[in-house]
Amino acid sequence: MRRLVYCIASSLDGFIAGPDGADPTGPDGFWPIADDYVKHLAAELPEVLPVHARSALGITDEATRFDTVLEGRRTYDIGLRAGITDAYPHLRHLVFSRTLTESPDPAVELVATDPVAKVRELKGADGKDIWLLGGSELAGALYPEIDQLIVKLSPLTLGSGIPLFSRDTPFDPQTWELTEHTVLQSGAAFLTYTRP
């Protein structure tokens, strides 16, 4: 059965973006991206690189780990503000929104129904794992459905911002098994946790 994998960059203090929710790695961002971080992503998780990064790095291979990406409306808006309507054309791309009525890109599917029901439907179909890109609210709604966490931990603290899971996520302590880990020279760590 396919797994839902929340693969997300996080600060040491558990934030995925600043309080304004803007792209922390963009031109005006505060989140440094080291060369070894990009090289690791290109080698181990090339599907999570957006189209412009894949193009710049010469990545043309078919996805091997994920074939579907899920994101919430606010996360999708970051790309739209940059003029990108589909940052992941190499994947089936679903955006969860109750307010968007028409997709800005014919390849991007809008989902206005219950995220949990949709993920259960996706898990029951044939295919590779499903990548949950974010954001915080969608991750919170899908908390019980997440089978694996890949935390791209940055040697950075923010103090406040958008948390890994929405503050509205129900209290439900879970223990995860560390199944893979890589620490880079730059201080970033890739930590893979699997639900036992």
Side-chain angles (χ1 to χ4, degrees), residues 6-195:
Y6 187 23
C7 179
I8 190 75
S10 174
S11 65
L12 291 173
D13 49 354
F15 298 106
I16 61 175
D20 64 358
D23 182 0
T25 63
D28 298 323
F30 53 84
W31 203 301
I33 302 295
D35 287 343
D36 62 351
Y37 181 91
V38 174
K39 287 178 184 170
H40 184 79
L41 281 176
E44 301 297 327
L45 292 162
E47 297 98 323
V48 306
L49 290 167
V51 65
H52 60 280
R54 289 172 60 88
S55 177
L57 295 168
I59 299 172
T60 57
D61 297 343
E62 182 181 320
T64 56
R65 181 171 188 153
F66 303 114
D67 61 11
T68 304
V69 59
L70 312 179
E71 67 180 319
R73 164 67 189 267
R74 289 190 185 113
T75 304
Y76 182 60
D77 279 346
I78 293 170
L80 287 180
R81 285 192 295 274
I84 303 167
T85 59
D86 186 3
Y88 306 99
H90 52 285
L91 302 172
R92 181 179 176 195
H93 192 164
L94 285 75
V95 173
F96 288 80
S97 174
R98 290 182 213 75
T99 56
L100 273 177
T101 56
E102 188 175 327
S103 177
D105 191 290
V108 175
E109 303 170 44
L110 296 180
V111 181
T113 58
D114 175 39
V116 170
K118 185 62 177 180
V119 164
R120 288 179 180 166
E121 175 190 321
L122 291 169
K123 283 182 173 183
D126 289 337
K128 298 172 184 164
D129 284 346
I130 304 155
W131 170 33
L132 172 57
L133 166 61
S136 182
E137 286 184 28
L138 183 58
L142 292 173
Y143 181 72
E145 292 300 316
I146 296 170
D147 302 296
Q148 191 172 68
L149 293 165
I150 300 175
V151 179
K152 302 174 287 182
L153 192 64
S154 179
L156 171 73
T157 55
L158 304 188
S160 67
I162 308 292
L164 198 63
F165 292 98
S166 164
R167 295 190 195 331
D168 295 331
T169 304
F171 181 74
D172 183 16
Q174 298 291 317
T175 301
W176 299 79
E177 180 184 346
L178 179 66
T179 51
E180 286 181 52
H181 66 284
T182 301
V183 179
L184 305 178
Q185 186 67 37
S186 63
F190 285 74
L191 306 170
T192 301
Y193 294 93
T194 303
R195 192 185 295 269

